[in-house]
Amino acid sequence: MLQLYFFPMACSLSSRIALMEAGIEARYHLAHIWTKKVVDDDSDFRSVSSKGAVPVLVLENGDRLTESAAVLQYIADLKPELGLAPPPGHPDRYRLQEWLSFVGAEIHKAFLFPTFWYKDDAALAKPRARIGQTLSIPAAHLATREFLVGDRFTVADAHLTWTLLLLRAAGVDVAQWPQLADYLSRMQARPQVKAAIGIEAALRKTLAA
Ligand SMILES: N[C@@H](CCC(=O)N[C@@H](CS)C(=O)NCC(=O)O)C(=O)O
């Protein structure tokens, strides 16, 4: 069985959404990203991945895969019939990778990561000034489309949904972009997306308490 190391409401939520949308059972291990402890057994998360970051997907053969873009495509390719990623070689596969890179680099690492990890107003001035311009890109794209790639839900939607969920806590009101707000509502209405968020939001509250 696949295993996913995750931290509730962190970027590994996209991988949980992908697994649940694919109907793939997995064992989930909560890895605390600040203490670097695996909560199951208090072991050192860095011995699972030297990056000390979620997601880590442990494959059936024991190999460990990191980086959301790779993990998400791996999960999608386990169930090609569901179309969670366009097939390798299809022109839309590159569109999927384009969006996974954009979400991972331009929204996650350029804005969410420094906001939650550094909390330093001076250091955050430039990321804050830039995030509106960044979000206007998917907003314009989604003005005429239901999903980021093609005409169905893909793992790129799982990843964008996660970032949009966190923006409010990072001080950005997604309602400024009605297309993004509508898109987020549509994504949150998907039963598996809603269930995945419900599980992680509840776990996150337990941790904060
Ligand atoms: N490039 C990686 C970034 C992973 C990442 O930054 N994960 C965060 C949670 S959202 C984390 O575990 N951070 C802990 C750390 O960097 O020490 C990806 O896209 O998966």
Side-chain angles (χ1 to χ4, degrees), residues 162-182:
W162 165 67
T163 59
L164 296 180
L165 280 174
L166 257 67
L167 283 170
R168 186 179 294 274
V172 176
D173 185 0
V174 179
Q176 291 170 71
W177 299 273
Q179 303 94 321
L180 291 182
D182 290 352

Side-chain angles (χ1 to χ4, degrees), residues 61-84:
N61 66 2
D63 282 355
R64 293 161 194 181
L65 189 62
T66 62
E67 300 299 324
S68 298
V71 169
L72 289 168
Q73 290 182 75
Y74 183 90
I75 294 167
D77 287 342
L78 289 174
K79 291 280 182 81
E81 66 278 14
L82 298 182
L84 290 169

Side-chain angles (χ1 to χ4, degrees), residues 10-11 33 36 51-55 67-68 108-109 113 117 162:
C11 55
I33 54 178
K36 306 298 178 201
K51 292 178 179 173
V54 293
E67 300 299 324
S68 298
H108 179 195
K109 281 294 163 171
F113 188 83
W117 282 78
W162 165 67

Side-chain angles (χ1 to χ4, degrees), residues 38-173:
V38 178
V39 168
D40 294 345
D41 58 4
D42 210 34
S43 60
D44 183 1
F45 179 42
R46 287 193 193 277
S47 65
V48 176
S49 166
S50 56
K51 292 178 179 173
V54 293
V56 180
L57 187 69
V58 185
L59 312 184
E60 301 282 1
N61 66 2
D63 282 355
R64 293 161 194 181
L65 189 62
T66 62
E67 300 299 324
S68 298
V71 169
L72 289 168
Q73 290 182 75
Y74 183 90
I75 294 167
D77 287 342
L78 289 174
K79 291 280 182 81
E81 66 278 14
L82 298 182
L84 290 169
H90 189 286
D92 275 352
R93 185 66 175 234
Y94 303 102
R95 293 292 166 204
L96 180 97
Q97 290 168 349
E98 185 178 39
W99 280 111
L100 288 173
S101 295
F102 182 86
V103 171
E106 306 299 335
I107 307 179
H108 179 195
K109 281 294 163 171
F111 181 72
L112 292 173
F113 188 83
T115 301
F116 289 116
W117 282 78
Y118 303 143
K119 300 185 171 89
D120 171 335
D121 278 338
L124 290 176
K126 285 188 178 158
R128 282 186 185 136
R130 193 179 158 93
I131 188 64
Q133 179 195 330
T134 302
L135 292 173
S136 70
I137 306 290
H141 184 73
L142 290 165
T144 54
R145 297 157 186 270
E146 204 173 332
F147 302 104
L148 282 176
V149 181
D151 57 3
R152 65 206 300 179
F153 180 91
T154 66
V155 292
D157 295 302
H159 212 27
L160 179 62
T161 296
W162 165 67
T163 59
L164 296 180
L165 280 174
L166 257 67
L167 283 170
R168 186 179 294 274
V172 176
D173 185 0

